[in-house]
Amino acid sequence: MSTFRGILLSKTGDQFSASVSLLDHAQLPQEADVEVAVEYSTVNYKDALAITNSAPVVRRWPMVPGIDGAGAVVASRNAAWRVGDKVILNGFGVGETHWGCLAERAALKGEWLVQVPINLSTKEAMAIGTAGYTAMLCAIALEKRGVKPTDGEILVTGASGGVGSIAIAILAGWGYRVVASTGKLTEADYLMMLGASEVIDRAGLSVVGKPLQKERWAGVIDSVGSFTLANVCAQTKYGGVVAACGLAQGMDFPASVAPFILRGITLVGIDSVMAPLFARHEAWQKLSTDLDRDKLAAISREISLNEVESMARQIMSGSLRGRVVVRL
Ligand code: NDP
């Protein structure tokens, strides 16, 4: 395939453009050692930031966005991968400094790739995508720090988003009582279907609060940051654990040390982009066995490359729920 379709982001001075373009095979990054025919990619929050030029996600121009993808190896100079292998890519700066997966072809480094688990299709892998893999990293962080279903309720913020939706499905499947915090109370039925026992309005968490509040949560998965993260720390029970992975409300953390020094709570930072391979394998393995497929189907919708730009704008407006899978 000497040419292939992909999204191309360009910037010259202040002039930014995003378009579905015909790209030349010779333009693919030469330092990569595995070429993948991308079958499915997704539009993550970070992709939406890049495609709408809302934050400096892209650090080399022109750029093909797409921080994750799944497909089949079509050429390999890496001993670990052979033609026909089905692989997943998450992060490692792909779609930021290295051409990404919102294209029919991607040239990637073999050391970045994870095999698609035997019982997942490439489409299911991308219905999960970076958001779902991050949700699993968060859930594992709570579990490994000893938070058990009998310890009490787990709060999931940004509940109707990609990370939040999959976090609810995982935790409910593991037997936790999950409370979903959302700005979309109209999505309460969807959140209950995923496994939430209760749905609360995020408005109460989004504004400045007291440094110590009534203890409620045994654990929290937070994809929102800012005042929300400060408030959930202030409401976490003695010895509880908060896994922080996102900044949908903001990057700031206007909090007090009180919950840490008076209640011994733990705040765990979750990064999916540079996470080591053993953590990726563990997360993807658990996702392939523990995530309810009917719920996954309800969380995700499929679109074509031509629809990506408008979907990115919807994600930035915060009006979308669940995950968006892109068919290449
Ligand atoms: P989505 O856009 O799918 O979901 C984000 C959700 O956050 C929205 O659906 C909304 O949920 C809530 N939200 C949006 N704006 C606000 C606001 N102003 N205040 C409070 N809540 C808000 O994104 P993802 O789920 O894919 O990602 C969530 C976050 O996690 C992002 O910041 C993303 O960058 C980050 N992330 C981090 C990763 C890492 O490696 N650490 C990996 C993947 C994602 P609702 O309406 O239900 O409240």
Side-chain angles (χ1 to χ4, degrees), residues 40-249:
Y40 292 94
S41 182
T42 76
V43 191
N44 289 282
Y45 189 83
K46 196 184 255 182
D47 299 316
L49 287 171
I51 292 163
T52 57
N53 195 29
S54 304
V57 169
V58 174
R59 276 162 284 145
R60 274 170 71 174
W61 303 94
M63 179 56 60
V64 172
I67 65 167
D68 52 14
V73 172
V74 288
S76 173
R77 288 182 278 114
N78 185 304
W81 300 107
R82 283 182 304 194
V83 171
D85 286 344
K86 296 279 186 169
V87 293
I88 302 173
L89 179 282
N90 294 107
F92 284 116
V94 172
E96 300 179 53
T97 55
H98 183 104
W99 273 24
C101 297
L102 280 166
E104 290 166 339
R105 285 285 188 274
L108 304 165
K109 290 194 182 172
E111 71 223 44
W112 294 340
L113 301 172
V114 169
Q115 187 128 30
V116 178
I118 195 87
N119 48 349
L120 280 184
S121 65
T122 49
K123 183 176 172 183
E124 286 169 327
M126 283 300 105
I128 295 167
T130 297
Y133 143 66
T134 304
M136 182 54 91
L137 292 177
C138 292
I140 291 172
L142 297 188
E143 196 188 35
K144 284 200 171 153
R145 282 162 186 82
V147 180
K148 299 181 293 301
T150 48
D151 291 338
E153 297 172 310
I154 309 293
L155 177 69
V156 173
T157 65
S160 74
V163 174
S165 295
I166 296 187
I168 294 169
I170 293 168
L171 291 168
W174 287 357
Y176 290 90
R177 182 181 151 84
V178 185
V179 177
S181 164
T182 184
K184 304 183 195 80
L185 291 172
T186 47
E187 296 292 357
D189 288 347
Y190 163 77
L191 297 168
M192 302 289 255
M193 177 277 296
L194 294 181
S197 302
E198 188 183 336
V199 176
I200 62 171
D201 189 338
R202 78 178 188 206
L205 292 169
S206 304
V207 291
V208 65
K210 290 188 179 155
L212 278 181
Q213 300 171 32
K214 189 167 182 293
E215 294 178 58
R216 179 157 185 196
W217 319 114
V220 180
I221 293 182
D222 177 60
S223 59
V224 171
S226 191
F227 289 115
T228 301
L229 180 56
N231 283 320
V232 302
C233 287
Q235 295 175 4
T236 296
K237 291 207 290 193
Y238 193 94
V241 182
V242 178
C245 72
L247 43 64
Q249 183 180 10

